[in-house]
Amino acid sequence: MYSMNVTNCPGYTLGSLTESEYGLTAQLSLAGTPCDAFGTDITDLTIEVTYQSQTTLHVKIHDTANQQFTIPESVIERPPAPTESFTGSSDLLFNYNVSPFAFWITRRSCPDAMPIFDTRIASLPPAPIPPFNSSDPRTAFNGFPLVFEDQYLQQIASALPYGTNIYGLGEVIASSGFRRDIGTDGGIGTIQTLWARDVGDPIDENMYGSHPIYLEHRFNETTNTSSSSGVLLLSSAGSDIFLQTPPNSQVSLIEYRMVGGILDFYFFSGPTDAEVIAQYGAMVGYPMWQPAWGFGFHLCRWGYVNISEDIANVAAMRAANIPLEVQWNDIDLYHAFRDFTTDPVRFPGEELQQFIEQLTTNHQHYIPIVDAGIGATVNATDVYYPFSDGLANDAFIKNPDGSLYLGQVWPGYSAFPDWFAGNTQAWWTEALMNWTELGVNFSGIWLDMNEPSSFCSYSCGTGANFSALQPFNVVGTVVIGYPECYNETLWGPSGNMTINGTSTNSCPPGTTETLSKRGVGAGAEPNVNLTSPPYAIHNGYGALSTNTLATNATHSGGYVELDVHNMFGMLEEKTTHLALQTIFDGKRPFLISRSTFPSAGKWTGHWLGDNYSKWQYMYLSIQGILQFQIYQIPMVGADTCGFNDNTDEELCNRWMQLSAFTPFFRNHNTYGALPQEPYRWDSVADASRIAIAARYSMLPYWYTLFANASTNGLPPVRALFYEFPNEPELFNVDRQWLIGSDILVTPVLTPGATTVDGIFPGRGNVVWRDWWTHAAVDATPGANTTLSAPISHINVHIRDSSILLLHQEPAYTIYETREGPYSLLISLNEAGTAMGNAYVDDGESYPPGANRTLNFFASDGELDIESTGEYSICQKLDTITILGVQQPTTVTLDDDQIEGWTYNGANEELIISNLSIELNAAQTKLSWE
């Protein structure tokens, strides 16, 4: 039926162009005989170009009939339409050819540079290009026309500078590292498949999340300058994204192949890497505000099989004096593996409640797991309200015939929440609230299995021989689908225009067109193969329905799983976050989840999934943490010491230290594996105490970075080249990272090592000082320096020009730490200057309330502290340490001479103690001479 080849696809011709002060709109018409390569060519398209802001350009190409799936605004809120014209000032310019239609994006500031994005066939390598994997014909490039079909989109390609630096396009564990393989320098190129799946952390395959955004860091060797840009294709369609450089080509390329949806591009001008990330955040939403306690150490395992083990574990951590902020429970907690339950024998409600109350008394916290599948009741006497209430509220996904979709997860046959249904939010909130009333007074929620995962193919529970489904089956087939403004959940099945004199029109005034069937996509289109699209993306499991919901599973509104699959996790995160806002009433939710999608960071953090207790995976966790900063999900970390397999002492020692300098810090492992709590080995306990103390000291710095992420989208964790963009030797570095701009982390990533090699950015123009000793490093400019790294030691260095507000007395919990005094660490540059800032609030209010900003400036032998805001800081600034200073004779605080200071000449270190500085004062001045 289909040609399976795009060679003869005609492309499109542009016409009916209308320009406005905000952009342009035009029609695209198929330019010749349809090729029907992997679907039916769509004859008429519309292109809308909007200069969204000074730095963001939106290019949207969709079918004029609006039948293809479009992500609803209710799912991901888009920026409002601009009210100011940027067509004459934006640094990004949209250019186009009429026939064959093509477009390219250039910079106004660099008009002669290679475009940021360029779909012109003349700019791309000559085609056809044979498969770069000879055993896989899908890796050929038969041509580069724009192809827009009902179930094959869009084959749109762009030329890229040869061997350019590409980052992002995940979620993935890339064998090439954080920098993606683009097919140069001995690489083979990349096929990044986007289709969420439950799989134990594979390499170079699709996994839990889908993030179709990339950051390009473009370096000009002639001028020794760089600029960065970003490209988002906002689509939930199953996709293959190719990065490749064909043989003898002078350019590299990126090509998108999707099995549905539309082309919805956002271009971000940067020009710095952090600005690209922030601009993306402004588009999809900035990350959620984290509670301060979320930065503490979390401990979990699959295999705490009863409440006694939880109690003993918390006591053992306390006895070993290893700070424990949050105790977690995996599915062991459940009765019959069912969400929102506790096992009455192993986790009796009263004992669990007392345990959690004791944690709360000690300023500690508790987090349980919630899986995506809701177990079906097994007979008429089986009482399980989350399932029965979900049925009553029409909150579950269905089969195409309207019957309940039943997959299989831990509890057996399971239904799956329909996040598009009108009653799901209330039902889900009630289920969580009822759980707290049963004694499970959680501080946050862990969402797992939400790709979603199913252990069987298709709706395997449908028609199965178990009595619990009989009442539902007796009702018979339910016909779904009503006009777009009739809500059958509210008004029942009659379809009447009025009921008891009240209109049943559920659309707000003036929104009928918006809420029409636009974008329902494959669920409403004829002759679409929902189960096996003609173009087979490179899903690691093969068929798209393997180990997940069937692609013909049907959601409220007529959406089908084929179109919305990649958003399941994000929609669960959004629903859960909103539920926790209701339950916590004024306090910040805390969420960690597995499957993510653009905008998920507004609702959740992320852990990197089911990794392995291998050194390789400890190293690979770094690229994952860096990736998720791009995706605007900065609260991210790995299962420390590894999840699958058994860990050992050395690996756990090194990994506990590494993870202490990442945003989310949790030790977690699998059922039956060797216990790996940090108290199990003396050296691991020692390494953990050292690293956690440093982490808790840095909490004001971490907290400020995350406040900046939540207000401005700036990444808390950064690749080295973000801060040093013109040093090409840094472009591949993913064995080190920066916390903010000022702290460099260089972990040991190999067994048996007593030294570690690391590069110190700045090429000799930056002074890096040891966090532990404050000694300046004698670094090799532009190359690796070998550092001592005995067991239980991790290398951490402070950049010059920085001022860090710290907790002076790291304690057992975050609460106790925050109650103690502050200190200030100043690392002067060679000119004797430094600066920094800190954001302080109560660490828990939602929405954030009163706060205080502290700005620090040091120069010419003087430190100035400026304090603004309404939040009152009770704790005093006790100690100020200044590095890179000559020995003074006099130190004064607000013109009063003070005596309590010491000087270490070897480190050029001035330590001024017992200051008791009031941080609420508008101005404070310290000087030394």
Side-chain angles (χ1 to χ4, degrees), residues 10-19 24-32 45 47 61 94-104 119-121 146:
Y12 288 81
T13 300
L14 183 142
S16 302
L17 176 67
T18 302
E19 295 188 89
L24 62 86
T25 301
Q27 299 303 307
L28 301 177
S29 302
L30 197 66
L45 307 177
I47 180 170
I61 303 174
F94 177 83
N95 311 271
Y96 62 91
N97 283 338
V98 171
S99 184
F101 168 73
F103 71 92
W104 62 103
T119 69
R120 291 173 292 182
I121 292 176
L146 172 61

Side-chain angles (χ1 to χ4, degrees), residues 126-261:
I129 300 166
F132 61 86
N133 179 346
S134 60
S135 64
D136 183 359
R138 293 171 294 173
T139 63
F141 297 98
N142 293 315
F144 298 108
L146 172 61
V147 180
F148 201 117
E149 298 173 342
D150 54 3
Q151 50 189 335
Y152 180 66
L153 270 311
Q154 278 34 28
Q155 177 140 339
I156 189 166
S158 169
L160 296 170
Y162 182 90
T164 192
N165 305 292
I166 299 292
Y167 308 88
L169 298 176
E171 181 178 5
V172 68
I173 301 172
S175 59
S176 63
F178 179 48
R179 181 178 180 270
R180 304 309 303 269
D181 182 351
I182 199 168
T184 57
D185 302 319
I188 61 171
T190 292
I191 307 172
Q192 181 58 55
T193 299
L194 301 183
W195 187 256
R197 67 179 182 134
D198 171 9
V199 59
D201 282 17
I203 296 175
D204 291 332
E205 295 182 8
N206 58 305
M207 45 194 301
Y208 314 109
S210 299
H211 294 277
I213 178 174
Y214 70 85
L215 181 154
E216 182 192 353
H217 186 83
R218 190 175 294 190
F219 181 68
N220 187 321
E221 294 182 359
T222 302
T223 62
N224 200 44
T225 59
S226 65
S227 64
S228 295
S229 59
V231 179
L232 166 69
L233 176 52
L234 185 60
S235 171
S236 57
S239 309
D240 279 343
I241 303 174
F242 290 78
L243 294 169
Q244 191 52 261
T245 306
N248 303 314
S249 174
Q250 301 302 304
V251 297
S252 301
L253 65 87
I254 182 170
E255 182 173 84
Y256 299 86
R257 302 177 186 176
M258 303 146 63
V259 295

Side-chain angles (χ1 to χ4, degrees), residues 493-533:
S494 73
N496 292 348
M497 186 182 299
T498 61
I499 293 180
N500 296 328
T502 301
S503 171
T504 57
N505 185 340
S506 299
C507 292
T511 64
T512 303
E513 183 175 348
T514 303
L515 295 175
S516 71
K517 284 293 184 179
R518 172 192 175 97
V520 169
E525 293 173 341
N527 305 317
V528 171
N529 188 333
L530 294 179
T531 55
S532 297

